[in-house]
Amino acid sequence: MPCASGACSPRACVRELSERQRAQAELERQRQTLHRSERLSVLGTLAAGISHELRNPLSVVVSQAKLLEDELSAERPQARLNAILRAAERCAAIVSAFLDQSRYGPRKTEHFALTQVVESALDLSTHVLREHDVSLIIEHAHPDVTVKGDPHQLSQVVLNLVLNAATAMQDSAAPRQLVISTRLNDTQDTVEISVADSGPGIAPELRERIFERFFTTKAVDGGTGLGLAICRDIVAAHGGRISAHASAQGGALFLVQLPAGRHAQRVAASAESDASSVPSYRVLVVDDESEIASLLCEILELAGHEVDIAASGESALRCVAEVDYHFVLSDMRMPGMDGAMFYEMLCEQHPELVTRLAFITGDTLSPNVAGFLKRSGIPHLAKPFHPRQVTELVAQLAEKTRHAPVGRSR
């Protein structure tokens, strides 16, 4: 209460000072949040460019290694080649996972074993567990259980949980233990992945908040507070949920629940059969990167197709004016006429080819490209790719248009 002289009472002054301090603290928190958002935005833009440049050489490494693997039968070269192929695929998965930090809907949909998600995550994190002296226990109650979605994104979720657990246990007394379990629930409609550690655990009042963006229990500069928020968004995009609990060891337990996949083996076998029985088609490959164009040509020719190459959108238009192509596989980012402009010209000059066009691109993150692909509905394959994915793309176009085998030049 103000005194007679108009001066502020000590209690009122303290309250006013406390409110001012809280306001300043909140302002500082918002400023830091904005700064983080701006920094992440800049990093995301840089990452998109870097990832695009990496995807072309990675496509060559992965596909050439796979083609060479098919040609070799000697045991020692085969083992070395398998190691190279696994390393290249891991690099490709890292690039894909890095880009997936900016989009949380499933990037692609396929049936795969739940154990594959765990193994892929451990490929990237086992050395961290060794460094932190953490013993690992893996329990697969139903090894054959499958899910449908994007294996790279879900592997990123498990990887994040494993790395968080290793960090949480670094100050805990030995023995440090991490238990990863997978199982099918009693009604057989939900699969579960649990990651449990022997660390300090998570206070009950924080078990919901830790999934909020920019909320972190780590020390300053110890984390962005985005990891678990991204995990939540990825899992939700796959029709599941993620929750935090107390583990049997007294630490934290994260439970990921996802819809169970159905008829995965039949679907996979059918897709493989369809890809291997594709008849011969006349295909035009459009890419300004000569190594990528030559690689696609080799993959398609090995599958029995006839292939021509165009190094630009302008050159491709001249080709389609002279030859009846069944399908056209084009890059998106090219100097001069890019993929979107090439698509528009096909709509005007050769509308019959629009439904037989597909894009193979390393740039699916930029708003312009992502928006165009969504609006046009044109099938597309992201680099880096496997030879099998290229032949399956042609099979997909063939099924879509039900085209007859090879046509003739005009």
Side-chain angles (χ1 to χ4, degrees), residues 32 35-36 39 167 170 214 216-225:
Q32 291 180 358
H35 175 68
R36 281 181 177 178
R39 183 174 61 181
T167 301
Q170 64 184 354
F214 302 113
T216 179
T217 59
K218 297 177 182 178
V220 178
D221 295 330
T224 62

Side-chain angles (χ1 to χ4, degrees), residues 231-270:
C231 289
R232 177 200 59 195
D233 290 343
I234 291 175
V235 172
H238 284 77
R241 65 186 301 269
I242 182 172
S243 54
H245 310 270
S247 72
Q249 306 99 307
L253 182 149
F254 285 88
L255 180 64
V256 177
Q257 297 172 297
L258 299 162
R262 298 182 184 276
H263 314 299
Q265 290 80 9
R266 181 179 60 79
V267 172
S270 175

Side-chain angles (χ1 to χ4, degrees), residues 29-30 32-41 209-218 223-230 232:
R29 188 190 69 78
Q30 292 181 4
Q32 291 180 358
T33 299
L34 180 60
H35 175 68
R36 281 181 177 178
S37 298
E38 291 174 345
R39 183 174 61 181
L40 287 170
S41 177
R209 289 202 64 195
I210 56 175
F211 295 104
E212 296 176 6
R213 293 184 182 278
F214 302 113
F215 179 82
T216 179
T217 59
K218 297 177 182 178
T224 62
L226 284 174
L228 288 175
I230 290 172
R232 177 200 59 195

